[in-house]
Amino acid sequence: AQSVAQPEDQVNVAEGNPLTVKCTYSVSGNPYLFWYVQYPNRGLQFLLKYITGDNLVKGSYGFEAEFNKSQTSFHLKKPSALVSDSALYFCAVNDDYKLSFGAGTTVTVRA
Amino acid sequence: KAGVTQTPRYLIKTRGQQVTLSCSPISGHRSVSWYQQTPGQGLQFLFEYFSETQRNKGNFPGRFSGRQFSNSRSEMNVSTLELGDSALYLCASSLRTPATDTQYFGPGTRLTVL
């Protein structure tokens, strides 16, 4: 089965600093990887996905992710974090039309 | 384009009751998937419907069921509610083709079982 792991429960950064949220994957075949964000009492918002092609994927709200096949990683990044980026972030892998999610990483950006 | 909508947003039920949740997908999307989110288990896949047929099913007991209508709207039903069914239930819609198509989520239905 396909799976992803998010090794950090929490990430704390200061506003204006770079933000990185880590994700590693374990798949057989080609990985189809996604990042979603969830704000309190809301559903999941799609940020970006990797299907094939360029290892650097650009997404919504200034986020990007780097696919690294040798390290089986798909880390989410933002060059300059905002307080409004504080939320719960999920990495996911498409496993036969269903998404398997990581446990989530809570990001707190302090002013 | 309107997003995925779910009704109701909040529900309070007691043990032993049953509940029906509704999901309307993005216009043109024919696949609807349901997920359960709890603090302990995280996000777990329940089932997926496409063209009124269940295509995928997660590891949940038979008390959890669903259906899809010809207009792609979907409902899920939970019978004989247990305390552990308290969760945020999310539905997501997609085109399903290609297989890598993005799933877009609704705001969820918060179910509390007392």
Side-chain angles (χ1 to χ4, degrees), chain B residues 5-8 20-24 34 69 73-76 91 109:
Chain B
T5 58
Q6 292 185 246
T7 57
T20 298
L21 313 182
S22 181
C23 173
S24 292
W34 289 88
F69 303 94
R73 190 176 69 85
S74 176
E75 290 181 346
M76 69 164 280
C91 86
T109 295

Side-chain angles (χ1 to χ4, degrees), chain A residues 10-111:
Chain A
Q10 289 199 11
V11 170
N12 298 303
V13 298
E15 189 173 34
N17 281 2
L19 169 63
T20 297
V21 187
K22 296 180 180 178
C23 173
T24 59
Y25 65 87
S26 174
V27 305
S28 54
N30 295 320
Y32 303 132
L33 300 163
F34 299 76
W35 276 103
Y36 288 86
V37 60
Q38 185 176 36
Y39 295 97
N41 299 314
R42 302 279 292 276
L44 302 179
Q45 293 181 29
F46 168 72
L47 286 176
L48 50 80
K49 68 180 177 183
Y50 173 82
I51 304 302
T52 186
D54 289 341
N55 290 339
L56 186 63
V57 180
K58 294 194 181 295
S60 307
Y61 314 118
F63 284 94
E64 57 189 28
E66 186 174 6
F67 174 75
N68 188 316
K69 189 172 182 179
S70 63
Q71 297 186 5
T72 61
S73 67
F74 187 56
H75 300 333
L76 181 70
K77 300 181 180 184
K78 187 171 185 181
S80 179
L82 301 172
V83 172
S84 57
D85 293 328
S86 298
L88 182 56
Y89 291 79
F90 290 98
C91 179
V93 62
N94 184 313
D95 182 8
D96 191 22
Y97 295 98
K98 59 184 181 289
L99 293 173
S100 294
F101 289 89
T105 299
T106 299
V107 171
T108 302
V109 182
R110 60 186 184 276

Side-chain angles (χ1 to χ4, degrees), chain B residues 8-78:
Chain B
R9 293 294 310 279
Y10 301 92
L11 268 178
I12 300 175
K13 294 286 187 179
T14 56
R15 279 180 299 174
Q17 288 187 309
Q18 74 167 16
V19 66
T20 298
L21 313 182
S22 181
C23 173
S24 292
I26 292 171
S27 178
H29 286 188
R30 295 170 60 200
S31 170
V32 174
S33 298
W34 289 88
Y35 296 83
Q36 181 196 64
Q37 184 178 20
T38 60
Q41 299 299 317
L43 280 156
Q44 294 185 288
F45 172 78
L46 279 157
F47 32 65
E48 182 218 0
Y49 285 86
F50 178 74
S51 294
E52 302 176 64
T53 302
Q54 187 180 88
R55 302 296 178 131
N56 265 312
K57 188 176 184 346
N59 189 25
F60 279 83
R63 299 186 297 107
F64 291 82
S65 63
R67 59 177 176 168
Q68 187 179 37
F69 303 94
S70 58
N71 62 358
S72 295
R73 190 176 69 85
S74 176
E75 290 181 346
M76 69 164 280
N77 184 77
V78 188

